[in-house]
Amino acid sequence: MKSRRLIQRVLLTIAVLALATTIAVFIGYRRMDQNPEVLLDLVKKGADMQLNKIRQTAMKNGIREWRLEADSATLMEKDKTMLLAGPDVEFFMDDGDHVHLTAEQGTIYTDSSRMNVSGQVSANTSLYRFQTESLDYDPAVRELRADKPVILSGQSFTLRADTMAMNLETSITRFEGGVEGIISEDLQL
């Protein structure tokens, strides 16, 4: 009887410790997820370089592809990444227009110049504005891609879709998955 109670107490103690550990990990993760500065502070310890108020321009064959400003950047040479706080990016399109994008944080992969931004991503061109939670830029195909829901709005329309891909060379934008919208009678085609 005593050994049975001892086993029950040991198992109950293990279950309580496992639950407490799970709760602590969850709270820690939520804290970092809702406050990216905490994550940046942790990352800074392993950083090769920390810069404040940066500007960078990407050129290919003498043609400007994008211009970036950020509140701060943390270079992680080992991971080949640059972590950005408050990125403000201007992507230049072949037709002369541009996409002006802002976000809470971002990452540039230094080996490929790929870029990912997240946290209240907002971008606009001369004709419309779109909003999403995260956006990727692939320089190999000069494409902006959002794999999270996107809301696009212009003077005479509003559109929502599950994903979006915008080619900066052709100025063609594709929307997929649950596409729905409102178009005003005043829309000029």
Side-chain angles (χ1 to χ4, degrees), residues 75-137:
L75 180 63
M76 309 292 283
E77 190 68 38
K78 180 181 161 190
D79 299 331
K80 297 183 179 179
T81 59
M82 183 181 295
L83 304 177
L84 307 168
D88 184 323
V89 188
E90 187 173 9
F91 293 97
F92 300 98
M93 299 170 67
D94 286 0
D95 67 0
D97 201 357
H98 65 276
V99 177
H100 180 241
L101 177 140
T102 59
E104 292 177 348
Q105 63 264 344
T107 303
I108 296 177
Y109 299 90
T110 58
D111 59 343
S112 65
S113 293
R114 284 184 317 113
M115 189 182 310
N116 172 273
V117 294
S118 60
Q120 297 183 9
V121 178
S122 178
N124 59 302
T125 70
S126 62
L127 299 174
Y128 54 86
R129 176 183 180 153
F130 62 89
Q131 296 175 301
T132 187
E133 272 306 305
S134 68
L135 187 80
D136 296 314
Y137 169 68

Side-chain angles (χ1 to χ4, degrees), residues 26-72:
F26 178 76
I27 289 171
Y29 172 77
R30 293 292 293 172
R31 184 173 158 238
M32 281 191 280
D33 188 44
Q34 294 175 350
N35 190 359
E37 288 79 26
V38 172
L39 182 59
L40 283 176
D41 288 341
L42 290 174
V43 169
K44 286 178 189 176
K45 294 175 184 167
D48 294 307
M49 187 183 312
Q50 175 68 32
L51 304 167
N52 289 322
K53 299 289 182 189
I54 69 155
R55 287 185 179 171
Q56 180 178 347
T57 301
M59 305 275 290
K60 185 175 181 180
N61 299 327
I63 299 171
R64 191 169 52 163
E65 290 190 338
W66 52 264
R67 176 202 50 80
L68 163 81
E69 292 183 14
D71 297 334
S72 68

Side-chain angles (χ1 to χ4, degrees), residues 14 39 46 83 85-86 120-121 141 145 156 188:
I14 291 171
L39 182 59
L83 304 177
Q120 297 183 9
V121 178
V141 292
R145 179 156 189 84
S156 302
Q188 299 290 322

